[in-house]
Amino acid sequence: MNVEQLAEQLKRDSLFMRDVVRWETLPQKSAVYGEFPLGLDTRIQPLLKQRGIHRLYSHQAEAIETVLRGEDVVIVTPTASGKTLCYNLPVLSAITARPDTRALYLFPTKALAADQAHELYELIEGMGADIKTYTYDGDTPVAARRAIRQAGHIVVTNPDMLHSGILPHHTKWVKLFENLQYIVIDEIHAYRGVFGSNLANVLRRLIRLCAFYRSKPRFILCSATIANPGELASLLTGRPVTVIEKNGAPSGERHFVFINPQVINRQLGIRVGVLKTAERIASALLQNNIQTITFCKSRVQLEVLTRHLKDITRDVLGNAERVRGYRGGYLPSERRDIERGLRDGSVKAVVSTNALELGVDIGALDACVLCGYPGTIAALWQQSGRAGRRQSASIIFYIASSAALDQYIVSHPDYFFSQSPEHALINPDNLYIMLSHLKCAAFELPFEAGESFGINNSADEMINYLCNNDILRRVENRFYWSAEDFPASEISLRSASAENFVIIDITDAVRPLVIGEMDRYAVPMLLHQNAIYMHEGRQFQVERLDFDACKAYVRHVNVDYYTDADLNVSLSLLDISEETTNARGIRRHSGEVKVTALVKMFKKMKLDTGENLGFGHITLPETDMHTTAMWWTLPLDAAQPYTNDALQGGMLGIANLLRITAPLFLMCSPRDIAVVYQVKGSFTELPTIFIYDNYPGGIGLADKAFSLGELLLEQSLSIVSDCACQNGCPSCAGPVGEIGLEGKAMAGVILCQMIER
């Protein structure tokens, strides 16, 4: 059965349509073509015709012409619109014209780099040109690295390898830096938050080295649809960039089906579980031989759903390889095997986190199932774009959970179709990040007195600080690295910590086996002692967590539950940068805080029903993070009329509401910020509600929330007032079990007090 037949069948299924709140069909779109640019190598056009490409799409032609004029450019078009040709054609043409020319390709993941390098090889072979292209990452054999440094025309790598493997050893890459003409950065929408802020500083170091070697490379950047591509590209590169965003590529018919599962407890606002609904839809797609990708929001969700689907499809020999899980933490060889299975059709269903959101070639999938709102409109479009990538008809199912953001999206489908994608926010001048990279830059090349680092950023103050701490040493007008350590090894571009924990299976005591890895900040929640760690549907119990050695030892078990840890957070004030008071005496502040996180206990949750089977205690060290925050404090007389329980329920309700409104108005992912409340603030001594950036040093989200003033509060009041539930539900202030019977009403009362009108 194909997608069109399945769509017609589902529309006639009254049981299925009972949960459908919107069925939107986006029509097929025809291609818009442009003239083939002059100035490209004469072998390119015949080669493209051999590959079935007789004409370039309008955005491809415009992008190549812009590159040939010597401008920096960012191409912003949807998934599968042929962005790869926009940079491959001018780069290959430049190298054939001048063989000394070099190009550097950056991709956010090793998987994407390997995938794009394979496509580049095919083009070069078709041209019959002597252009040496190599992938340079952590998996590259040591013996091959010298040849790549000396002879590589195009070096394909990722930001992490550029940061720690190329820039600190630039004297071994003289040919690359002296002749570097193009820097290609793909999928720039992935460089948000701390990752993007780090990359901008890595590029500052790269441009600084290029200037030393007297080369002036141009940037070619590509992105899926975001609201501020030009701004993001300029912040990353430090230069003005030409934006090309009028898409000329065709697309097939697309069915968007918005599903809101039935309410099973009206008072509590609880619905049929999103995983149960996803399992039902994904199994129906499997039975009809429709190749499907299902996106989950967490590792636990992914592993639970993968296990269920494997059980459904297991054959008489116990094999269930038609269904695979895919996420970060799987070993590279395992991920490559899954990608091959998707391309050759042997894998019919893959359950993934956002690890497959980027443009790795996984073939022509027909259907996409989204288990809840992924956090941003841009991510929702990107994930849904993994289906129908080759102009065929596709079907996308968006399944809403009881969570407030999910319910908002499913209740307002027009918001999804009409809202522009979010801004990608980065803060390259974050002091925490910039100081770390200035150390790396000083290690790579001595600083001159008065030299800047970044846009209009004098490095003098930071250099003096490093000199006072014996990290740099001044000799006349230059500052030299004098510390013993290697600074790049201390910086992780993707998180605040450079440490990754290795997960070791000790089921076979004789032959322990490394089965995965996890970043340090996720470890207390997912790899604590006695946690159930899930890997491709298999369950392992954590026998021992060695925090100092960054290792977790696990043993295979077969139990019918998973674990979920509770995180306790406390805040302390470091500095107040701005404050204001409205006519009602509500004070609004912004500043810097220290966030202390501690995991104390975990719950055991039954796999099939999700019910609580008990709990256990966790003994782990606490973690500290310095970041930016904004907060509201209520005056004492505003809180006095209420009991402590009523006030706590109301403030918890407001915090839940802000978790809905803040990501929408700040145009960020919910995980980029945190919202907490204190009935008696740790440093205000008053009822206080905090919003803080979930990244060390902050990336500007809390400052933006402060500038929005009362808009967030007004929108929160609108949601709680418009919700039809009696005493609270997950779609507004939160379930009654959390906020109490008075919580919803109290949230409304307190919000009215906080708003100046």
Side-chain angles (χ1 to χ4, degrees):
M1 182 181 291
N2 61 30
V3 167
E4 290 91 341
Q5 291 168 329
L6 176 70
E8 290 305 313
Q9 185 185 80
L10 291 177
K11 285 178 180 178
R12 293 193 298 269
D13 185 342
S14 58
L15 192 63
F16 174 80
M17 292 301 293
R18 182 185 63 178
D19 294 345
V20 175
V21 296
R22 176 80 165 265
W23 188 304
E24 187 81 14
T25 302
L26 302 183
Q28 188 172 359
K29 177 180 172 290
S30 300
V32 178
Y33 296 102
E35 294 296 322
F36 199 86
L38 300 174
L40 289 178
D41 188 277
T42 54
R43 287 171 286 184
I44 287 177
Q45 196 165 6
L47 171 63
L48 293 178
K49 287 181 179 177
Q50 288 173 19
R51 296 164 63 92
I53 303 171
H54 297 279
R55 300 167 71 186
L56 293 178
Y57 301 135
S58 57
H59 65 274
Q60 293 173 327
E62 185 183 356
I64 293 168
E65 286 171 356
T66 307
V67 171
L68 294 176
R69 286 199 302 268
E71 298 176 30
D72 296 311
V73 63
V74 58
I75 304 106
V76 191
T77 54
T79 308
S81 55
K83 291 190 285 286
T84 307
L85 290 180
C86 296
Y87 52 81
N88 277 342
L89 299 190
V91 167
L92 293 176
S93 187
I95 295 171
T96 54
R98 181 176 166 267
D100 281 341
T101 298
R102 297 292 187 265
L104 181 69
Y105 283 24
L106 289 180
F107 297 95
T109 64
K110 287 197 290 187
L112 191 55
D115 183 62
Q116 294 297 327
H118 178 72
E119 185 171 335
L120 189 54
Y121 295 147
E122 291 183 349
L123 271 176
I124 292 169
E125 284 181 11
M127 286 178 68
D130 182 23
I131 298 175
K132 296 178 176 62
T133 302
Y134 301 101
T135 301
Y136 190 84
D137 58 30
D139 299 332
T140 304
V142 175
R145 297 190 177 195
R146 180 177 294 180
I148 296 171
R149 291 193 290 264
Q150 295 300 318
H153 289 103
I154 301 175
V155 177
V156 181
T157 188
N158 54 67
D160 312 83
M161 198 65 182
L162 176 64
H163 156 65
S164 61
I166 297 177
L167 297 182
H169 309 290
H170 61 91
T171 53
K172 298 179 180 179
W173 293 86
V174 174
K175 269 210 163 180
L176 174 71
F177 285 106
E178 284 184 339
N179 299 285
L180 190 59
Q181 185 169 335
Y182 290 114
I183 301 169
V184 173
I185 310 177
D186 202 2
E187 307 280 6
I188 67 165
H189 60 280
Y191 300 112
R192 301 169 51 210
V194 69
F195 191 17
S197 303
N198 271 309
L199 176 64
N201 280 281
V202 170
L203 294 177
R204 288 171 176 176
R205 290 159 51 197
L206 173 60
I207 294 301
R208 183 170 177 260
L209 287 174
C210 287
F212 175 76
Y213 286 102
R214 303 184 189 280
S215 62
K216 296 180 179 179
R218 310 308 304 175
F219 283 96
I220 308 173
L221 306 102
C222 296
S223 174
T225 308
I226 52 174
N228 62 332
E231 179 191 18
L232 176 62
S234 291
L235 283 171
L236 286 172
T237 62
R239 301 177 181 179
V241 177
T242 303
V243 179
I244 293 169
E245 53 188 341
K246 193 170 182 181
N247 178 31
S251 60
E253 186 178 72
R254 307 178 78 191
H255 299 274
F256 274 89
V257 186
F258 287 77
I259 296 171
N260 204 11
Q262 293 292 298
V263 174
I264 54 176
N265 186 322
R266 192 161 297 280
Q267 279 191 323
L268 300 179
I270 296 172
R271 298 177 178 272
V272 173
V274 66
L275 287 186
K276 237 179 216 329
T277 308
E279 180 188 330
R280 179 166 52 87
I281 292 172
S283 59
L285 291 163
L286 269 168
Q287 287 165 10
N288 287 288
N289 208 33
I290 293 175
Q291 201 175 23
T292 305
I293 184 168
T294 301
F295 282 103
C296 294
K297 292 200 286 186
S298 72
R299 303 178 195 192
V300 172
Q301 267 193 347
L302 176 148
E303 297 293 355
V304 170
L305 183 57
T306 301
R307 180 188 172 100
H308 287 324
L309 291 176
K310 278 181 174 287
D311 288 342
I312 291 169
T313 59
R314 210 174 296 280
D315 62 23
V316 291
L317 297 176
N319 297 319
E321 295 304 298
R322 292 173 64 212
V323 176
R324 302 295 298 270
Y326 188 106
R327 61 170 171 80
Y330 285 9
L331 297 178
S333 57
E334 200 172 5
R335 294 199 297 269
R336 299 303 85 76
D337 181 55
I338 296 165
E339 291 160 15
R340 279 193 300 271
L342 286 165
R343 286 195 294 269
D344 65 30
S346 59
V347 174
K348 287 297 179 187
V350 62
V351 185
S352 175
T353 56
N354 60 359
L356 275 178
E357 185 178 302
L358 299 176
V360 178
D361 181 13
I362 52 175
L365 304 184
D366 302 307
C368 176
V369 180
L370 300 165
C371 294
Y373 182 55
T376 65
I377 296 293
L380 210 161
W381 278 113
Q382 184 75 0
Q383 290 183 3
S384 64
R386 297 319 307 256
R389 288 172 59 83
R390 299 199 178 146
Q391 303 173 30
S392 57
S394 58
I395 188 164
I396 297 98
F397 300 91
Y398 168 73
I399 307 169
S401 70
S402 298
L405 266 176
D406 286 18
Q407 287 299 307
Y408 183 90
I409 296 296
V410 83
S411 303
H412 303 80
D414 287 330
Y415 176 87
F416 166 60
F417 290 110
S418 63
Q419 181 75 6
S420 67
E422 292 79 7
H423 289 68
L425 296 179
I426 64 171
N427 182 12
D429 297 334
N430 172 308
L431 189 60
Y432 179 94
I433 292 172
M434 191 162 63
L435 183 62
S436 298
H437 286 280
L438 186 131
K439 285 197 239 179
C440 296
F443 176 89
E444 291 152 8
L445 206 64
F447 267 90
E448 302 280 348
E451 184 178 345
S452 63
F453 188 69
I455 304 171
N456 301 322
N457 284 315
S458 171
D460 288 349
E461 192 174 338
M462 290 186 289
I463 285 173
N464 289 335
Y465 168 79
L466 295 176
C467 286
N468 293 336
N469 285 273
D470 298 325
I471 294 170
L472 296 183
R473 180 170 54 91
R474 181 165 188 163
V475 178
E476 296 181 348
N477 284 327
R478 285 189 173 184
F479 299 88
Y480 293 85
W481 181 258
S482 64
E484 291 184 4
D485 55 342
F486 178 63
S489 65
E490 300 298 316
I491 304 169
S492 167
L493 300 190
R494 298 168 194 261
S495 69
S497 169
E499 300 169 306
N500 257 22
F501 279 63
V502 177
I503 303 163
I504 303 168
D505 179 10
I506 57 171
T507 308
D508 183 346
V510 180
R511 296 182 63 190
L513 185 68
V514 174
I515 60 170
E517 61 181 0
M518 190 176 293
D519 66 88
R520 186 183 187 280
Y521 280 90
V523 164
M525 298 288 288
L526 299 173
L527 279 182
H528 55 80
Q529 186 100 6
N530 295 321
I532 298 297
Y533 168 75
M534 299 184 73
H535 191 100
E536 269 234 88
R538 299 180 71 212
Q539 295 163 299
F540 298 84
Q541 181 167 300
V542 179
E543 299 286 312
R544 184 164 67 92
L545 176 63
D546 188 335
F547 223 82
D548 294 329
C550 297
K551 293 177 181 176
Y553 298 91
V554 302
R555 192 181 303 278
H556 181 244
V557 294
N558 193 9
V559 294
D560 66 344
Y561 69 90
Y562 62 93
T563 53
D564 187 19
D566 285 335
L567 184 68
N568 294 305
V569 173
S570 61
L571 292 94
S572 53
L573 179 66
L574 297 176
D575 184 41
I576 295 176
S577 56
E578 200 171 350
E579 61 181 295
T580 183
T581 306
N582 71 11
R584 291 176 175 263
I586 304 298
R587 282 183 286 170
R588 190 169 81 250
H589 306 76
S590 71
E592 296 180 17
V593 297
K594 182 176 80 170
V595 180
T596 302
L598 181 63
V599 181
K600 287 186 174 180
M601 61 170 287
F602 67 93
K603 295 176 287 187
K604 297 178 181 179
M605 313 295 290
K606 197 166 173 61
L607 271 172
D608 51 354
T609 63
E611 63 185 299
N612 193 339
L613 299 177
F615 66 93
H617 294 286
I618 303 171
T619 306
L620 285 174
E622 62 185 23
T623 58
D624 291 334
M625 175 176 72
H626 292 195
T627 187
T628 53
M630 66 85 57
W631 60 96
W632 292 273
T633 55
L634 276 69
L636 201 57
D637 58 347
Q640 277 177 341
Y642 313 118
T643 66
N644 200 60
D645 286 348
L647 186 62
Q648 180 161 326
M651 294 190 70
L652 174 55
I654 294 171
N656 288 336
L657 288 160
L658 287 169
R659 291 187 188 106
I660 307 172
T661 56
L664 295 173
F665 282 86
L666 296 177
M667 292 190 170
C668 68
S669 169
R671 64 178 174 269
D672 291 339
I673 60 165
V675 184
V676 297
Y677 75 97
Q678 295 175 348
V679 173
K680 186 176 182 181
S682 53
F683 54 82
T684 64
E685 300 294 321
L686 295 167
T688 309
I689 298 170
F690 300 86
I691 297 177
Y692 65 84
D693 288 22
N694 226 352
Y695 295 108
I699 55 170
L701 295 172
D703 294 334
K704 189 175 179 184
F706 181 86
S707 70
L708 288 173
E710 297 187 347
L711 183 61
L712 297 177
L713 301 177
E714 290 170 353
Q715 186 65 22
S716 298
L717 180 60
S718 173
I719 290 173
V720 78
S721 302
D722 294 345
C723 188
C725 69
Q726 293 180 343
N727 298 310
C729 70
S731 301
C732 62
V736 177
E738 280 186 15
I739 63 174
L741 288 170
E742 299 178 84
K744 178 182 177 181
M746 279 299 305
V749 169
I750 296 171
L751 283 168
C752 286
Q753 286 184 323
M754 294 176 73
I755 296 170
E756 183 179 8
R757 62 181 182 189

